[in-house]
């Protein structure tokens, strides 16, 4: 049972978020079915992880999670499901991640923390920076229809969401 099940039936915030495609995406206005997986941080070559990262439960795993979604991208598309990642990281950092990993889907940036504030989502702080805890939403016309939280094995998230969406 997810601690965030009370969000089922709620509309995502009506806010334009910067996307790695360069065009904003408003999660409340995504038509049809969409999966939005939220994650805290993606590492970057030449940059250290945030302070104490290795000691924060659930902090690691964003790259395996994103790569699993990338590997399953075709399956999501065949189901007519749009796919997005979401973090509080800035779009420039996310664009680098998309380029290095050749992701076919967009990552959404919410550095102001509008989505977690609006939905009272769990976050954590280290080094004076706030990070989104890992969670996944299935949306139907911008309304939350399913929530996965916690996501204990990020690399398996895409497969588990696909199984839940399969007809």
């Amino acid at each position: 049972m997810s601690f965030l099940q009370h969000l089922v039936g709620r509309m995502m915030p009506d806010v334009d978020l910067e996307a790695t495609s360069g065009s904003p995406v408003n999660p409340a206005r995504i038509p049809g079915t969409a999966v939005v997986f939220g994650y805290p941080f993606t590492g970057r070559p030449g940059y250290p992880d945030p302070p104490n990262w290795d000691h924060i439960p659930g902090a690691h795993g964003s790259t395996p999670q994103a790569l699993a979604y990338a590997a399953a991208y075709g399956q999501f598309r065949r189901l007519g499901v749009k796919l997005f990642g979401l973090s509080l990281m800035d779009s420039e950092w996310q664009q680098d991640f998309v380029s290095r990993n050749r992701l076919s889907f967009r990552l959404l940036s919410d550095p102001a923390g509008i989505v977690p504030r609006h939905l009272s989502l769990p976050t954590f702080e280290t080094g004076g920076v706030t990070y989104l805890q890992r969670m996944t939403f299935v949306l139907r016309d911008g309304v939350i229809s399913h929530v996965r939280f916690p996501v204990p094995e990020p690399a398996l998230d895409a497969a588990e969401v696909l199984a839940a969406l399969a007809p």
Side-chain angles (χ1 to χ4, degrees):
M1 173 78 163
S2 171
F3 294 110
L4 299 177
Q5 286 305 307
H6 67 281
L7 296 175
V8 171
R10 287 202 47 199
M11 177 73 73
M12 288 293 281
D14 190 3
V15 59
D16 287 339
L17 300 176
E18 192 171 349
T20 51
S21 63
S23 299
V25 171
N26 185 322
R29 297 181 187 199
I30 299 170
T33 303
V35 170
V36 178
F37 66 95
Y39 59 93
F41 173 82
T42 57
R44 191 172 185 179
Y47 292 86
D49 283 344
N52 303 310
W53 203 250
D54 292 338
H55 305 292
I56 300 169
H60 281 286
S62 298
T63 298
Q65 183 181 27
L67 294 179
Y69 274 103
Y73 182 70
Q75 293 171 275
F76 282 101
R77 296 290 295 168
R78 280 190 287 287
L79 291 173
V81 176
K82 297 161 196 75
L83 185 57
F84 302 91
L86 170 69
S87 82
L88 305 182
M89 299 169 60
D90 69 46
S91 191
E92 184 274 328
W93 189 277
Q94 299 219 84
Q95 182 59 53
D96 175 77
F97 183 74
V98 166
S99 296
R100 279 187 292 109
N101 292 286
R102 296 183 175 90
L103 300 182
S104 299
F105 53 87
R106 295 174 278 181
L107 300 181
L108 308 179
S109 295
D110 184 11
I114 296 167
V115 173
R117 266 196 322 277
H118 179 83
L119 296 174
S120 298
L121 300 179
T123 59
F124 64 93
E125 186 177 312
T126 186
V129 177
T130 300
Y131 297 91
L132 186 62
Q133 285 193 25
R134 191 175 317 282
M135 64 198 70
T136 303
F137 298 102
V138 176
L139 310 178
R140 308 243 189 240
D141 296 321
V143 176
I144 300 167
S145 65
H146 182 79
V147 180
R148 289 199 74 235
F149 178 82
V151 179
E153 296 185 55
L156 300 179
D157 189 37
E160 291 179 15
V161 171
L162 268 172
L165 289 171

